[in-house]
Amino acid sequence: MSSSGVLKQKLQSLQGKKFTGRIDIKNSQGKEWRLYFCLSRLMWADGGYYPYRAWERLLSKYCPHLDPHLMDITRAKEFECWNYYLIVSLLQRFLITKEQALSLIKERIDIILFDIYQVESQEKLNYSFVLVEDNFPEESGLKVSITLLKIESVLQSVDNIWRQWESLGLAKFNPHLAPVVKNPVLLQQQFKGKENTYKKLVS
């Protein structure tokens, strides 16, 4: 089966079933991703690599003028989906627009699905379906639904991103990782007289 075959199969199997709940996905090292559904439409995705760093990147991209002090991170961390809770809170307080909220949600889902595509191209993943009888509990942070995305449209978007990544020969390279300077002294010698360039590179 292709790199994204199992994930696509699992998601496509939900269509028309009105599934409300979660799919927990784990790899052999215990890394976990979670996909949240309401009536078989995607409402949120979480887990994976560096969730706090990913959240900061998304905020700086879509809400660059937002004062971080206006976010109650301590309160948000009481919720399972703390970043979704924050998006709802910011939207309800008119600190972000509906368009910004939708962009944050859509890109977060794309990032998580891309990660699963990539890991699945290298190893078999474990999928667990968790059904929610009525609605998500208060502690989930998902009581308020901002948008429900059709599985097909989300898969089409991520398929395109993944195909581009593969076509560049980058399938084995994780986009979340960053290079590490192993020998800063040697590197600094290469940039004598260019201290500012060296500082930028190291940062």
Side-chain angles (χ1 to χ4, degrees), residues 65-110:
H65 306 298
L66 181 67
D67 183 351
H69 296 101
L70 295 172
M71 290 183 288
D72 190 351
I73 298 285
T74 305
R75 165 87 174 128
K77 285 183 181 174
E78 296 173 12
F79 295 88
E80 179 184 342
C81 300
W82 57 271
N83 34 15
Y84 189 91
Y85 169 84
L86 278 174
I87 293 171
V88 171
S89 171
L90 292 168
L91 184 60
Q92 289 175 335
R93 290 155 61 204
F94 303 103
L95 295 171
I96 62 173
T97 65
K98 181 76 178 281
E99 289 71 27
Q100 287 173 310
L102 292 174
S103 295
L104 288 166
I105 292 167
K106 175 70 170 63
E107 183 148 342
R108 184 64 181 147
I109 289 173
D110 282 352

Side-chain angles (χ1 to χ4, degrees), residues 14-93:
L14 296 178
Q15 294 185 108
K17 291 190 178 176
K18 296 186 178 179
F19 171 74
T20 296
R22 198 177 77 225
I23 301 180
D24 294 342
I25 304 160
K26 287 184 182 176
N27 73 356
S28 57
Q29 284 80 45
K31 182 64 69 181
E32 185 176 5
W33 298 266
R34 296 178 303 279
L35 307 178
Y36 297 87
F37 298 84
C38 179
L39 301 175
S40 289
R41 293 200 177 194
L42 265 163
M43 65 181 300
W44 186 240
D46 218 342
Y49 305 99
Y50 314 111
Y52 293 104
R53 194 193 302 171
W55 169 246
E56 287 173 0
R57 271 202 307 268
L58 285 177
L59 274 186
S60 65
K61 180 176 180 179
Y62 292 109
C63 314
H65 306 298
L66 181 67
D67 183 351
H69 296 101
L70 295 172
M71 290 183 288
D72 190 351
I73 298 285
T74 305
R75 165 87 174 128
K77 285 183 181 174
E78 296 173 12
F79 295 88
E80 179 184 342
C81 300
W82 57 271
N83 34 15
Y84 189 91
Y85 169 84
L86 278 174
I87 293 171
V88 171
S89 171
L90 292 168
L91 184 60
Q92 289 175 335
R93 290 155 61 204

